[in-house]
C-alpha cells in the first residue's frame, strides 16, 4: 500500500471516517482561534473548568432523549455551561472570590452531578461515551450543528476582533472609553461554551478543551502576531484531527484521546524546536557565550 493510499483510503472506504474527519476539521477551524484568545486572557484553566461544567446538562439531555442523542445532549450542555458561566461571574463580582476560584467551585459540583446522573440511569459504556466522546458515531445532524457553531464563532470573532483584543491586553483603556468590556467578555464566554459543546459532540467532556489549549500553546511558540497565532492554531487543530483519526484507525485506538495525544506530541516537538523553544534558546545562549 502506498503512502497516499494509506493516508486517504480509510476516508474513501468508510462513511463514519468521513463524517468524523469533517467534524474534526470543522471543530479545529474555530477551536484553535478561540483557544488563542483564551490563553491570551489567561483563562486556560477556566476553559478546562467550563468543559466539565457542561456535563450535567449533557447528562440530563441523555436522560430526556433516552439515549446518546447528540442534539439533546448538546442543548443541555449549552444551557448548563452558560448557567455556570453566569453564576461564576455573579459570584466573583458579589464576593471576594476571583473568577477562576468561582469557576473551579461550580465546575467541581457540575462534574460530580453529571457523573452521578449518568451513572444512576445509564451504563458504564454510556458514561464513557459522554466523558470521552463518540467521534466515529457522529451523524449528519451533529456535523450540521458543529458546522453552524464554527461559522457563528468565526463571524463573531471577526466582528468583535478589535474590542476583544483591547479587552485582552488593556481592559482599563476599554473601560475608560466606555467600550463595554463586560459585554465582550460575556460574548467570548458564549463562544467558549458553544465550542466546548462542539468539542463535546466529538471528543467528550474530558477531551474537548484539549482541541483549544494544545493548538493554541503550539501557535504561541511559533507565531508572533495574533492573526498568525490564530491561523497556526487552526492548522494544528485540523492536522491533529486528521492524524489522530488515521492512527486510531490503523492502531485500533480510541479516536478522541488519540487526537489529543497527537496534539500533545506536536506540542512537545514545538517546545523543543520552535524559535522560542528550549533548543533554540540553548543554542542562542551558547552562541552568545562563545
Amino acid at each position: 500500500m502506498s503512502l497516499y493510499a494509506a493516508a486517504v483510503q480509510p476516508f474513501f472506504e468508510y462513511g463514519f471516517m468521513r463524517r468524523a474527519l469533517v467534524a474534526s476539521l470543522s471543530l479545529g477551524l474555530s477551536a484553535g482561534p478561540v483557544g488563542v484568545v483564551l490563553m491570551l486572557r489567561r483563562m486556560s484553566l477556566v476553559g478546562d473548568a467550563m468543559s466539565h461544567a457542561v456535563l450535567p446538562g449533557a447528562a440530563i439531555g441523555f436522560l430526556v432523549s433516552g439515549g446518546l442523542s447528540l442534539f439533546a445532549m448538546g442543548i443541555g450542555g449549552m444551557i448548563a455551561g452558560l448557567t455556570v458561566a453566569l453564576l461564576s461571574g455573579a459570584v466573583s463580582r458579589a464576593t471576594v472570590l476571583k473568577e477562576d476560584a468561582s469557576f473551579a467551585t461550580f465546575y467541581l459540583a457540575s462534574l460530580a452531578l453529571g457523573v452521578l446522573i449518568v451513572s444512576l440511569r445509564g451504563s458504564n459504556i454510556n458514561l464513557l461515551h459522554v466523558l470521552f466522546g463518540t467521534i466515529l458515531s457522529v451523524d449528519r445532524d451533529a456535523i450540521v450543528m458543529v458546522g453552524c457553531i464554527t461559522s457563528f464563532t468565526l463571524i463573531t470573532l471577526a466582528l468583535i476582533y478589535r474590542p476583544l483584543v483591547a479587552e485582552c491586553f488593556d481592559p482599563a483603556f476599554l473601560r475608560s472609553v466606555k467600550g463595554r468590556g463586560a459585554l465582550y467578555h460575556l460574548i467570548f464566554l458564549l463562544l467558549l461554551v458553544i465550542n466546548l459543546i462542539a468539542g463535546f459532540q466529538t471528543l467528550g467532556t474530558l477531551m474537548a478543551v484539549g482541541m483549544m489549549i494544545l493548538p493554541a500553546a503550539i501557535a504561541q511558540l511559533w507565531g508572533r502576531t495574533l492573526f498568525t497565532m490564530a491561523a497556526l492554531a487552526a492548522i494544528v487543530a485540523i492536522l491533529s484531527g486528521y492524524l489522530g483519526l488515521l492512527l486510531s484507525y490503523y492502531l485500533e485506538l480510541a479516536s478522541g484521546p488519540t487526537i489529543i495525544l497527537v496534539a500533545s506530541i506536536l506540542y512537545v516537538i514545538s517546545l523543543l524546536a520552535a524559535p522560542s523553544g528550549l533548543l533554540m534558546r540553548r543554542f542562542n545562549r551558547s552562541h552568545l557565550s562563545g
Side-chain angles (χ1 to χ4, degrees):
M1 182 184 297
S2 67
L3 180 60
Y4 174 78
V8 300
Q9 184 175 349
F11 304 107
F12 277 113
E13 289 187 353
Y14 301 104
F16 67 89
M17 287 293 290
R18 289 195 297 272
R19 290 190 293 272
L21 180 63
V22 171
S24 62
L25 296 186
S26 180
L27 176 62
L29 279 175
S30 62
V34 169
V36 169
V37 179
L38 193 68
M39 295 195 72
L40 290 177
R41 295 168 68 92
R42 295 178 176 86
M43 292 176 60
S44 301
L45 293 180
V46 171
D48 184 53
M50 290 299 298
S51 69
H52 302 317
V54 305
L55 185 56
I60 293 172
F62 169 79
L63 295 181
V64 170
S65 64
L68 290 169
S69 170
L70 294 181
F71 181 78
M73 294 168 67
I75 295 298
M78 184 182 302
I79 294 173
L82 291 175
T83 300
V84 169
L86 293 175
L87 287 176
S88 300
V91 168
S92 65
R93 286 168 175 77
T95 68
V96 296
L97 288 176
K98 294 187 177 180
E99 193 171 36
D100 58 344
S102 60
F103 267 112
T105 54
F106 278 107
Y107 114 74
L108 288 171
S110 299
L111 179 61
L113 178 61
V115 172
L116 183 62
I117 292 173
V118 177
S119 62
L120 285 176
R121 297 294 300 273
S123 65
N124 290 334
I125 299 299
N126 296 140
L127 181 59
L128 287 176
H129 281 319
V130 172
L131 293 178
F132 297 105
T134 54
I135 190 169
L136 294 182
S137 64
V138 293
D139 54 15
R140 182 177 179 180
D141 293 337
I143 291 176
V144 170
M145 186 174 183
V146 174
C148 290
I149 289 174
T150 297
S151 301
F152 177 78
T153 298
L154 294 178
I155 292 172
T156 304
L157 284 177
L159 291 175
I160 66 171
Y161 176 79
R162 289 181 179 275
L164 189 61
V165 171
E167 212 268 332
C168 283
F169 293 104
D170 197 352
F173 169 76
L174 197 61
R175 288 194 299 268
S176 68
V177 297
K178 298 181 180 179
R180 298 180 181 179
L183 174 62
Y184 297 113
H185 181 68
L186 288 175
I187 292 175
F188 178 71
L189 285 179
L190 172 63
L191 295 181
L192 173 61
V193 170
I194 64 175
N195 274 272
L196 288 173
I197 294 301
F200 158 76
Q201 301 280 10
T202 55
L203 301 174
T205 58
L206 296 184
M207 298 286 157
V209 74
M211 192 61 103
M212 293 183 184
I213 300 303
L214 287 168
I218 293 170
Q220 280 195 320
L221 291 170
W222 292 94
R224 287 295 176 267
T225 66
L226 184 58
F227 179 80
T228 302
M229 285 189 288
L232 284 174
I235 292 171
V236 170
I238 289 172
L239 182 63
S240 300
Y242 169 71
L243 293 178
L245 286 173
L246 273 183
L247 287 176
S248 68
Y249 173 79
Y250 286 113
L251 301 180
E252 298 182 356
L253 301 172
S255 299
T258 304
I259 290 173
I260 302 304
L261 282 176
V262 168
S264 301
I265 292 171
L266 293 177
Y267 171 70
V268 172
I269 293 173
S270 298
L271 199 62
L272 296 174
S276 57
L278 299 177
L279 292 180
M280 290 302 297
R281 286 189 176 187
R282 185 176 181 84
F283 173 78
N284 291 335
R285 190 179 299 116
S286 301
H287 177 71
L288 291 174
S289 62

